[in-house]
Amino acid sequence: MRLSLRQLEIFAAVAKTENVSLAAARLAMSQSAASSALVELERLYDCSLFDRIGKSLHLNSTGRGLLPLAEALLAQGRDIEDYLSGGRPGPLSIGATLTIGNYLATLIVVDYKRQFPDAPVQLQVANTDTVVERLLRFECDLGLIEGEVSHPDLLIEPWLADELVVFCAPGHALAGFLAVDREILSEQSWILREPGSGTRSQFDRCIGSQLPYFRLGLELEHTEAIKRAVESGLGVGCLSRLALREAFRRGSLVEVPTPQFELHRRFYFASHRRRNPGAAVRLFRQACLAASAAADSTANLNLPFIP
């Protein structure tokens, strides 16, 4: 075999950063050494992997085809290293959407680190669109998402049932209603997640599109900010029951019943079809399934309350 894993590692790093200097820094090597390794890889097979425009590098069609193959081989190499070094899981990068990341994934990471204290884990929390983009760029090993996603390069597997809930402050005019109709909901000022989030997509599809007219009062990127705004009386919101469980328990927010809307959904595991999952991904998935094993939905999860 003429190529080496190190050459593929350098190629993958450059492909992700589109910059030799940044790739070299990530790999703790000199820029000249990284550049030489990349040139040698292209020379060995007499093919170009990048379009070079000034100082910028952009993957060409050959490079785009090579990247998932290289990532799969590198993941297998890391598995071999883990096995030979005593079975410690390799580095793991998790992308989680905001509801999952803020209220569930962090607890799972804590459990995972208790089992494997020396295993590096990176958890990045963002909206569904951002997590999907990271998966497609091979910047993320596993995604935990709450939005409906369909992409030919992604494998989407159901994990846990969830439900969106319309809610308001205890002193709001809708508090105490047994049910509300579409006309009443159309009169409300809505405080919602931003476009690109799974929660917002489902709201727009299941509620927003069903109202005679719709008043958007405020868009916020964080669930806690939405809860605070609704608590202050600025309007009504719609979030996962998982994100609202403690506020409902304390009585700082109350549910507005909306049985006319289908607000059930699922959380999903998302991964790239052409990427080898590796031991770390398999073990983290097992930790996720263990955390939800006794529950059929987020409403029944046994999670600690924060006082």
Side-chain angles (χ1 to χ4, degrees), residues 51-263:
D51 293 325
R52 291 164 170 81
I53 304 173
K55 294 183 178 181
S56 298
L57 295 176
H58 302 280
L59 276 176
N60 61 22
S61 59
T62 304
R64 286 194 296 272
L66 176 61
L67 183 57
L69 300 174
E71 288 283 358
L73 191 55
L74 290 169
Q76 289 178 315
R78 287 190 289 269
D79 280 353
I80 292 172
E81 285 190 325
D82 296 341
Y83 173 76
L84 294 175
S85 63
R88 185 192 75 173
L92 180 63
S93 177
I94 300 295
T97 49
L98 268 74
T99 300
I100 300 174
N102 289 334
Y103 303 101
L104 185 53
T106 304
L107 299 174
I108 296 172
V109 168
V110 169
D111 288 341
Y112 180 83
K113 290 293 289 182
R114 285 184 180 134
Q115 294 182 66
F116 310 104
D118 297 325
V121 179
Q122 180 187 54
L123 174 63
Q124 293 196 344
V125 180
N127 66 27
T128 297
D129 283 0
T130 301
V131 173
V132 166
E133 288 172 6
R134 294 190 64 234
L135 286 167
L136 294 172
R137 292 197 302 263
F138 298 94
E139 296 175 356
C140 181
D141 299 306
L142 180 68
L144 308 176
I145 63 174
E146 61 207 72
E148 296 288 340
V149 172
S150 177
H151 193 286
D153 291 336
L154 295 182
L155 179 63
I156 309 297
E157 301 171 275
W159 172 24
L160 185 63
D162 185 46
E163 178 188 18
L164 293 188
V165 180
V166 177
F167 62 99
C168 66
H172 192 276
L174 296 187
F177 272 56
L178 296 179
V180 291
D181 60 27
R182 289 172 169 81
E183 289 291 342
I184 293 175
L185 291 175
S186 295
E187 297 169 359
Q188 308 308 312
S189 177
W190 289 91
I191 302 171
L192 300 170
R193 287 284 309 280
E194 80 288 358
S197 77
T199 297
R200 177 61 181 275
S201 295
Q202 185 173 3
F203 173 87
D204 288 343
R205 183 173 64 253
C206 298
I207 296 182
S209 63
Q210 305 299 316
L211 301 182
Y213 48 94
F214 169 61
R215 293 173 54 199
L216 178 62
L218 194 60
E219 284 181 350
L220 296 169
E221 293 187 0
H222 297 286
T223 54
E224 290 300 314
I226 292 174
K227 287 155 65 176
R228 297 293 88 77
V230 173
E231 284 176 355
S232 68
L234 287 180
V236 298
C238 183
L239 291 172
S240 165
R241 188 175 294 280
L242 178 62
L244 295 164
R245 61 197 299 268
E246 294 187 31
F248 287 169
R249 179 180 65 90
R250 293 192 303 264
S252 58
L253 293 169
V254 296
E255 181 175 351
V256 178
T258 55
Q260 67 271 44
F261 300 117
E262 176 49 61
L263 297 180

